[in-house]
Amino acid sequence: MTEYTISLQAYAKAVLHCAKYPWATVHGLLLAEKKDGKVRMVDAIPLAHNWTQLTPMFDVALQQVQAYAKAKGWSVGGYYVAYEDTEATQLSASSALLARAVAAAGDEGAVAFVVDAKKLGPGSTQPGLVPYLSVDSQWKEQPAAFSGAKAKSGAATFVLENNRVLAATQKLVAERADIDIHDFDEHLDDVALNWLQNNALSERIRTA
């Protein structure tokens, strides 16, 4: 099966999106770079904090993200969601439909991640992501993901790109870098906000 690597840019943006709207369910897309049978999640694109259903607005956003990813030589390889209920780590039915739409749009190997807010606190040594893969048309949680344990034969593996991802993200959260992230919802209110690139935040993450 595939090895999935999560970059600092992708992890930090998903977490900061969650931090900006702690009272809401937020979700977004992950951009992937594929090489030699491995998948690297290179970036995260924040979608919304006001709606969580499969709607025409989601289709519009997905099409724009696909075009942006294609221009970069990437693909839309994943979906993330952080629920208003911070105890929730199970992929909901509505989130599963959105993840399915991402996979149907062209990447059958797409991953769905639920953000586990309980693992986002200062000093946490575990990634706050619970991955799900589509198996026999059902989204299945991947046990022991990010644990470092040897995966069973044929099982997917998940790793962070390096050992600074967690510390750098925690530092950015503490510094309130979340004020620099803008999602598609915000872009609809102010078209000057670049929700696809979030340039200022991307640079801040790069130098964190």
Side-chain angles (χ1 to χ4, degrees):
M1 285 285 282
T2 306
E3 178 182 292
Y4 296 89
T5 300
I6 317 301
S7 72
L8 173 58
Q9 286 285 341
Y11 186 81
K13 284 181 182 173
V15 170
L16 290 169
H17 192 201
C18 175
K20 186 171 185 176
Y21 300 103
W23 62 85
T25 293
V26 304
H27 59 172
L29 300 173
L30 295 163
L31 304 187
E33 182 179 53
K34 296 183 177 182
K35 186 177 182 180
D36 299 328
K38 298 181 179 181
V39 178
R40 181 172 181 266
M41 299 298 180
V42 294
D43 206 354
I45 308 293
L47 287 183
H49 59 278
N50 287 327
W51 49 269
T52 56
Q53 304 294 322
L54 186 59
T55 64
M57 201 57 65
F58 177 83
D59 292 335
V60 170
L62 178 56
Q63 289 172 14
Q64 291 188 37
V65 175
Q66 283 180 299
Y68 172 72
K70 184 177 181 179
K72 293 280 190 178
W74 303 333
S75 63
V76 181
Y79 167 83
Y80 72 84
V81 60
Y83 295 113
E84 177 182 359
D85 178 2
T86 57
E87 296 295 318
T89 59
Q90 295 295 311
L91 194 68
S92 70
S94 60
S95 295
L97 285 175
L98 294 171
R100 179 67 59 203
V102 171
D107 198 331
E108 290 299 328
V111 187
F113 290 98
V114 177
V115 177
D116 185 351
K118 300 185 296 298
K119 295 180 179 178
L120 300 183
S124 175
T125 59
Q126 295 179 298
L129 294 175
V130 180
Y132 289 76
L133 290 173
S134 182
V135 180
D136 298 328
S137 300
Q138 297 290 325
W139 289 98
K140 303 289 187 181
E141 181 178 345
Q142 302 303 292
F146 299 106
S147 68
K150 185 177 180 179
K152 294 181 180 179
S153 177
T157 59
F158 296 84
V159 296
L160 299 177
E161 70 175 350
N162 56 49
N163 58 14
R164 27 180 318 264
V165 172
L166 295 181
T169 299
Q170 290 164 13
K171 177 175 179 286
L172 288 161
V173 170
E175 294 173 349
R176 290 304 313 273
D178 56 280
I179 63 174
D180 290 332
I181 195 166
H182 305 294
D183 60 20
F184 184 60
D185 275 346
E186 291 178 89
H187 172 75
L188 293 177
D189 291 330
D190 182 356
V191 296
L193 297 176
N194 189 336
W195 66 288
L196 288 170
Q197 294 178 301
N198 275 293
N199 291 319
L201 179 61
S202 295
E203 179 60 19
R204 190 168 179 178
I205 293 171
R206 190 185 68 79
T207 58

